[in-house]
Amino acid sequence: MAALVGRGVRDMLKRADFMTVPRRQRHKKKWAATEPKFPATRLALQNFDMTYSVQFGDLWPSIRVSLLSEQKYGALVNNFAAWDRVSAELEQLSARDFVNEAIFHGEPEPKNGQTAAPPPASWACSPNLRCFTFARGDVSRFPPARLGSLGVMDYYLMDAASLLPVLALGLQPGDTVLDLCAAPGGKTLALLQTGCCRNLAANDLSTSRAGRLQKVLHSYVPQDVRDRNRVRVTSWDGRKWGELEGDIYDRVLVDVPCTTDRHSLHEEENNIFKRSRKKERQMLPMLQMQLLAAGLLATKPGGHVVYSTCSLSHLQNEYVVQGTIELLANQYDIKVHVEDLTHFRKLFMDTFSFFPSCQVGELVIPNLMANFGPMYFCKMCRMT
């Protein structure tokens, strides 16, 4: 009791002392100025430690150190440049074309002199793509791309795992294609490299990001090819695409906005883990479901959609896919079938590390020996 009384007296004396100080000389604690401000990159790491340690268990420490380490890149050869010369120069750097090497070794061998049975149609990879990487454990860097003799850039540097959704889409000659969230443009460029697009709609809601996409196309694709392929760049709200152009496209890529895990750990600029963007981050799975639903509604019955993110989060990956399929079944009476992509693990096991326990789709996880990703991708066929 005496202690409580003593404390109360001291508090009163403090207040009394404060009141004797003229108002203009009083110091008030400015919380916004004095409280520690954690950078968004640190908030991202805290979030990942809390959620991904549960999701990945013993794998998380390895993934974590890889995410915090320097990322590996691939060099996507520009087929509109002198691609044979460019490929030879990249080979001289001791890089290898992981796409064609994998597809060549993955072709079924004939047995007892008989012709080998062709793989299922769902196994088909988009053709004509050439992407060079350095071997596992080799941390060499590619030199910056330069302008080639044909007036376009020789190759495009990208996370090589970002090519997997385009490969999984399985483009066929004459396809009508939609890239629903196209910027900054690496996957759009890869779609054009296949030579399969009868026409290509490349959309991004952000006009500034769509501007970056236009710069990529102008740097890598000749004007006559852009015209001939009828490349259309728009800045529409992708969530409404099913209403705008429903049942039209043979192939749709839905590479949605996400937490961009690696970027969030390294860059303060445009970091979604800033405190001011908390609500936006929490609403991401809803946005992703709306975009995937719009992409499926824009697809012809019998057409294919690939959904992808550069996040490890199952809430943004498998849960979005499963939730969207249920939504379309209940609200639109549309049946969607998830394609089996486990053959991708076997095809590209020499280049990437895959998470073995995805419920649907495939996930490339960062690994110090193969520091690509994260990249989640899931292929679906709209049945009705």
Side-chain angles (χ1 to χ4, degrees), residues 78-100:
N78 187 2
N79 289 335
F80 303 118
W83 63 265
D84 48 352
R85 174 188 57 79
V86 175
S87 297
E89 290 178 356
L90 291 170
E91 286 174 355
Q92 289 175 0
L93 298 175
S94 298
R96 61 189 183 88
D97 178 0
F98 85 89
V99 177
N100 288 290

Side-chain angles (χ1 to χ4, degrees), residues 65-247:
V65 72
S66 304
L67 278 173
L68 293 169
S69 301
E70 192 170 9
Q71 181 180 18
K72 284 189 76 167
Y73 283 88
L76 175 66
V77 175
N78 187 2
N79 289 335
F80 303 118
W83 63 265
D84 48 352
R85 174 188 57 79
V86 175
S87 297
E89 290 178 356
L90 291 170
E91 286 174 355
Q92 289 175 0
L93 298 175
S94 298
R96 61 189 183 88
D97 178 0
F98 85 89
V99 177
N100 288 290
E101 187 177 287
I103 292 172
F104 175 77
H105 290 300
E107 289 180 351
E109 295 181 3
K111 294 181 180 179
N112 302 324
Q114 297 178 347
T115 304
S122 63
W123 286 35
C125 290
S126 296
N128 304 322
L129 293 170
R130 302 173 178 87
C131 188
F132 283 77
T133 59
F134 293 105
R136 292 177 75 95
D138 186 341
V139 294
S140 301
R141 311 291 290 176
F142 289 102
R146 65 173 189 263
L147 196 66
S149 57
L150 299 182
V152 290
M153 303 294 280
D154 282 340
Y155 54 79
Y156 183 86
L157 293 178
M158 64 192 302
D159 183 334
S162 296
L163 201 59
L164 294 176
V166 178
L167 285 164
L169 201 50
L171 264 66
Q172 301 295 312
D175 277 346
T176 56
V177 183
L178 168 62
D179 189 353
L180 193 59
C181 310
K187 294 183 181 69
T188 309
L189 178 62
L191 291 168
L192 284 172
Q193 298 297 314
T194 65
C196 292
C197 302
R198 185 164 81 245
N199 51 53
L200 171 65
N203 179 72
D204 201 280
L205 176 60
S206 165
T207 52
S208 62
R209 285 171 57 84
R212 291 173 60 192
L213 168 63
Q214 289 276 27
K215 288 182 180 177
V216 168
L217 294 177
H218 279 81
S219 298
Y220 286 85
V221 184
Q223 178 69 50
D224 64 317
V225 175
R226 296 200 302 274
D227 294 340
R228 192 167 69 247
N229 282 276
R230 301 185 206 171
V231 182
R232 177 172 53 121
V233 177
T234 57
S235 293
W236 297 349
D237 185 343
R239 295 172 294 180
K240 297 187 170 89
W241 208 283
E243 304 165 24
L244 297 168
E245 295 184 348
D247 308 334

Side-chain angles (χ1 to χ4, degrees), residues 164-165 168 306-308 341 344 354 361-362 364 375-379:
L164 294 176
V306 168
Y307 172 83
S308 61
L341 290 177
F344 265 60
F354 288 88
E362 295 296 331
V364 172
M375 179 55 57
Y376 173 80
F377 58 106
C378 180
K379 184 177 185 180

Side-chain angles (χ1 to χ4, degrees), residues 315-367:
L315 294 177
Q316 299 175 62
N317 297 338
E318 300 105 307
Y319 286 16
V320 167
V321 170
Q322 293 167 329
T324 306
I325 291 173
E326 290 179 17
L327 174 73
L328 288 186
N330 294 333
Q331 291 196 11
Y332 298 92
D333 199 26
I334 290 175
K335 184 179 178 182
V336 176
H337 171 69
V338 174
E339 302 275 349
D340 181 10
L341 290 177
T342 51
H343 59 286
F344 265 60
R345 290 189 215 171
K346 183 177 180 182
L347 273 178
F348 301 111
M349 63 185 295
D350 291 339
T351 304
F352 306 109
S353 294
F354 288 88
F355 180 54
S357 304
C358 274
Q359 296 175 33
V360 290
E362 295 296 331
L363 175 65
V364 172
I365 55 176
N367 179 288

